[in-house]
Amino acid sequence: MRSAVRNVANYFPTAIISGRSRDKVFEFVGLTELYYAGSHGMDIMSLDKGRVTNGHPNCIKSTDKQGRDVILFQPAREFLPMIEEVFASLVERTKDINGAKVENNKFCVSVHYRNVDEKDWETVVHRVSGILKEYPRLRLTHGRKVLEVRPVIDWNKGKAVEFLLESLGLSDCEDVLPIYVGDDRTDEDAFKVLREGNKGYGILVSSVPKESNAFYSLKDPSEVMEFLKALVTWNR
């Protein structure tokens, strides 16, 4: 899959938008050809080819590991101390639940319970919800066997897609067709942006039929890889 993604990135601007921290995603993927957005789009590193970053209070000019001039967009920067505090509290409150894992994703915190005994799932939810009662500026969302604590701001993966397109100078190009591939509930925001604005196509990855804002679907990662290979072949 890594080779297929690299090949696509050599022909088309390619980004990964993940719920995990941007640094973790980069360490896992390890491809310098891509643009990365972590924390559900609340931590974006991109080139600045558009006008969106001019005077924007949430943008910081920086350089990446290849020495390129880039911008960091972090709309939830003010929440960092709060996120650190909640992370420490969640670690303490779930340490006696076998299989529970609390992950600090910089601008959000994920509590994984995939490896928790099903009889303890309600306990995990109760303890996380209990802590969040003290933080009205944070909200709780549900993913696949994961609870996610995020800042209450008007930002999601759909807005991250729009920001990336604008920052790369691609948002008003008639010869650009954005394609977004995702398998998580949080990817629906990106599918919705592309569908409602008639800007591109969302592709849901799922082995079973689901209601979705995506236009198309693929069954599993192997089909995603074949699709990426087909894109490269078509472009050649």
Side-chain angles (χ1 to χ4, degrees), residues 21-145:
S21 74
R22 179 171 50 80
D23 289 340
K24 289 179 183 176
V25 176
F26 180 77
E27 289 176 8
F28 177 74
V29 178
L31 295 177
T32 58
E33 296 89 346
L34 308 183
Y35 304 103
Y36 293 88
S39 302
H40 297 284
M42 289 181 284
D43 186 12
I44 301 175
M45 177 179 283
S46 175
L47 298 181
D48 185 9
K49 296 182 179 179
R51 299 183 297 274
V52 70
T53 60
N54 289 345
H56 202 297
N58 293 312
C59 288
I60 302 173
K61 291 188 180 295
S62 182
T63 56
D64 64 9
K65 295 182 179 180
Q66 287 70 53
R68 298 178 298 180
D69 291 331
V70 297
I71 52 100
L72 285 176
F73 180 71
Q74 300 174 330
R77 192 181 305 120
E78 65 176 291
F79 288 88
L80 280 175
M82 189 183 299
I83 292 294
E84 291 284 351
E85 187 176 301
V86 169
F87 170 70
S89 297
L90 288 172
V91 169
E92 180 64 26
R93 289 289 287 132
T94 60
K95 65 182 182 181
D96 63 330
I97 302 177
N98 189 37
K101 178 185 177 183
V102 184
E103 183 178 12
N104 188 338
N105 287 313
K106 193 166 184 174
F107 293 100
C108 57
V109 178
S110 301
V111 182
H112 301 272
Y113 59 92
R114 182 177 300 277
N115 296 321
V116 173
D117 193 300
E118 188 171 351
K119 65 179 177 61
D120 294 324
W121 288 0
E122 188 174 337
T123 301
V124 174
V125 175
H126 177 73
R127 293 189 184 181
V128 174
S129 299
I131 289 176
L132 284 194
K133 289 179 181 179
E134 303 175 20
Y135 298 90
R137 297 184 68 198
L138 299 177
R139 65 188 175 101
L140 185 65
T141 61
H142 297 255
R144 293 182 300 171
K145 299 294 190 301

Side-chain angles (χ1 to χ4, degrees), residues 187-202:
D187 294 313
E188 287 297 324
D189 292 316
F191 297 152
K192 186 177 181 180
V193 162
L194 295 181
R195 175 181 283 272
E196 292 185 346
N198 196 27
K199 299 175 181 177
Y201 295 106

Side-chain angles (χ1 to χ4, degrees), residues 215-235:
F215 274 95
Y216 301 105
S217 67
L218 295 169
K219 289 183 179 179
D220 51 38
S222 65
E223 287 198 353
V224 173
M225 184 168 65
E226 291 306 313
F227 171 71
L228 297 180
K229 289 179 179 179
L231 280 179
V232 173
T233 300
W234 168 81
N235 191 70

